[in-house]
Amino acid sequence: MSDDNTTTSAGTGRLWGVGLGPGDPELVTVKAARLIGAADVIAYHSARHGRSVARGLAEPYLTGRQREEHLVYPVTTEGTNHPGGYQGAMTEFYAEAAEQLARHLDAGRDVVVLVVGDPLFYSSYMHLHQRLAHRYPTEVVPGVTSLSGASAVLNRPLAQGDEVLTVLPGTLPSEELSRRLRDADAAAVMKLGRTFPQVRTAFADAGRLDDAWYVERATTARERWMPLADVDPDRVPYFSMALLTSPSTRTWEATVPRATGETTGGGSVVVVGTGPAGPDWLTPESRDALADATDLLGYRTYLDRVHQWPGQRKHATGNTVEAERAAHALELALEGARVAVVSGGDPGVFAMATAVMEAAEDPRFRDVPVIVLPGVTAAQAAAARVGAPLGHDYCVLSLSDRLKPWDVIENRLAAAAGADLVLAIYNPASRARTWQVAKARDLLLAHREPGTPVVVARDVGGPEESVRVVALADLDPDTVDMRCLLLVGASTTQWTRDGAGRDTVWTPRRYPA
């Protein structure tokens, strides 16, 4: 809570450390949800991969009006070249992050820092609190701790009566852990992951291994639990803990009667095509698959198009990390999650289906079933807006040379143009690719009449939709960007314009003799 002795300037914003609980979205408190929705600025941490568990939990309560501050750790488990080592890199990071938030507070904006679990229980928020709470009005909203979540998963009390509960970090030396575990009534060891081998050794040396439980990702759709002695050390994530529950429970039958817990194995990946825009373009099959998923994963623009049901987790990534996104989906499935990879248009057309199939070749994922569900393609949507330009044979090409060389694109454009095929051209331009449209236009003019119709379709089905038809010779590259799709007519393609200026483009089904 805010310190009564804190001196603050008039007009400054308020800092909130908001706990979101251990992972079940329904364990987010009413107060936390209200503050997230009302905040001017939302701040959250992640490793360099960009996936923030905290943001995923808060996403149902974001309004789209908040500014977001993504605080990316410079180092997690890997090495660092920082002259101060790990501690020096993290100290510098927290100082910079605090000043980043201070600029918002000085401007009068309220800042909510999202925290998994409780803000004052082994959280990164404490480092920001230490640097900012004496300078600004500050309040902490407690959250259900992972310790409480793990106890609930096991259906076993942590401590009763006069028993003493000891909470230990797994980063302690094994000998120190062993000493403390030997004397404990009940104990929880946090921060496992890479520390797990020494933690297991400490339990064994203390003679407590057979009494201990392991809980991973408590309260989420991917939770796991088992006797600590049975854990595979190669599959222990950071979000896990080892527990010695109340001594009175050690004579209980070794069962864990929580109905939702059997998530190991049985995971799957379904790659879902959402069509070119919003929910109206979804097929019933895709809609059912999205509703059945425990985890939704994809490029943020596409994820925003689908409804998030209670208990589902969203994992948003950038637009150019398809391989990493696919591997992440398969890893989630390997741990028991039902993952829906959300793809725009049809997932098999320059989209996520191939990326997932490529990643699934890894022997680790050989038992993970992968299903692809089709969607309305961007080419089909654009064609429907002007009539039937794809009424005869056509070719689909991408102008992006990010994954294939330009000379291959040129050869394929020339071959398709020479074969008198209608062309559907994806990815015509981007901020980094500005010359390909002009080059493609000039190449096509060697095979097509200058008046050949070109449909320039942008954001079909979306709020910024525009569809226009121009002659090939008049195609202006400056009017084409990454959100556009081009349909270039064949020699037989017809183009008419009515008195109201509406264009119709269609390609006859019969080819002239």
Side-chain angles (χ1 to χ4, degrees), residues 95-110:
E96 291 174 353
E99 291 313 305
Q100 190 175 340
L101 301 186
R103 287 191 286 273
H104 289 294
L105 294 164
D106 288 337
R109 304 183 190 108
D110 288 347

Side-chain angles (χ1 to χ4, degrees), residues 4 87 166 182 422 481 485:
D4 291 339
Q87 193 59 50
T166 302
R182 191 177 297 115
V422 175
D481 62 21
L485 179 130

Side-chain angles (χ1 to χ4, degrees), residues 18 138 148 160 163 211 228 238 257 308 343 350 370 403 405 411 416 462:
V18 175
T138 301
S148 300
Q160 302 183 81
E163 296 167 357
D211 296 329
L228 187 68
Y238 181 79
Q308 182 178 13
S343 181
F350 303 120
V370 177
L403 300 176
N411 290 337

Side-chain angles (χ1 to χ4, degrees), residues 169-244:
T171 50
L172 287 176
S174 182
E175 297 81 3
E176 178 69 8
L177 276 174
S178 179
R179 182 184 69 79
R180 292 174 179 265
L181 289 169
R182 191 177 297 115
D183 297 336
D185 294 329
V189 181
M190 318 283 291
K191 302 183 180 182
L192 297 188
R194 295 178 67 180
T195 71
F196 180 78
Q198 72 181 44
V199 170
R200 189 186 188 283
T201 297
F203 272 91
D205 291 346
R208 313 300 295 271
L209 183 60
D210 292 339
D211 296 329
W213 286 91
Y214 168 85
V215 182
E216 171 185 312
R217 297 185 175 97
T219 79
T220 75
R222 297 157 56 203
E223 68 187 22
R224 293 199 306 152
W225 62 84
M226 63 187 72
L228 187 68
D230 296 343
V231 176
D232 179 355
D234 294 330
R235 294 190 58 200
V236 176
Y238 181 79
F239 289 108
S240 58
M241 70 179 66
L243 292 173
L244 282 173

Side-chain angles (χ1 to χ4, degrees), residues 36-80:
I36 292 167
D40 301 310
V41 179
I42 297 291
Y44 50 88
H45 295 83
S46 84
R48 285 185 291 184
H49 53 58
R51 301 188 294 271
S52 171
V53 175
R55 191 192 184 284
L57 282 172
E59 188 160 14
Y61 312 108
L62 298 177
T63 65
R65 297 188 300 271
Q66 298 100 334
R67 302 188 187 196
E68 295 191 18
E69 290 290 355
H70 187 180
L71 309 176
V72 180
Y73 298 119
V75 60
T76 48
T77 58
E78 67 276 17
T80 176

Side-chain angles (χ1 to χ4, degrees), residues 454-471:
V454 178
V455 180
V456 183
R458 187 177 190 277
D459 192 33
V460 174
E464 299 179 17
E465 176 179 317
S466 67
V467 181
R468 56 193 176 85
V469 185
V470 300

Side-chain angles (χ1 to χ4, degrees), residues 329-403:
L330 290 159
E331 287 165 358
L332 292 175
L334 201 63
E335 296 167 354
R338 299 186 304 277
V339 184
V341 177
V342 179
S343 181
D346 182 280
V349 180
F350 303 120
M352 280 304 300
T354 299
V356 174
M357 294 298 181
E358 288 176 348
E361 287 295 299
D362 188 316
R364 289 185 301 150
F365 307 128
R366 64 180 179 272
D367 295 326
V368 176
V370 177
I371 300 169
V372 178
L373 300 182
V376 177
T377 70
Q380 292 168 331
R385 288 293 196 250
V386 296
L390 305 181
H392 205 293
D393 300 338
Y394 66 94
C395 175
V396 178
L397 287 169
S398 169
L399 282 196
S400 174
D401 57 358
R402 192 168 68 88
L403 300 176

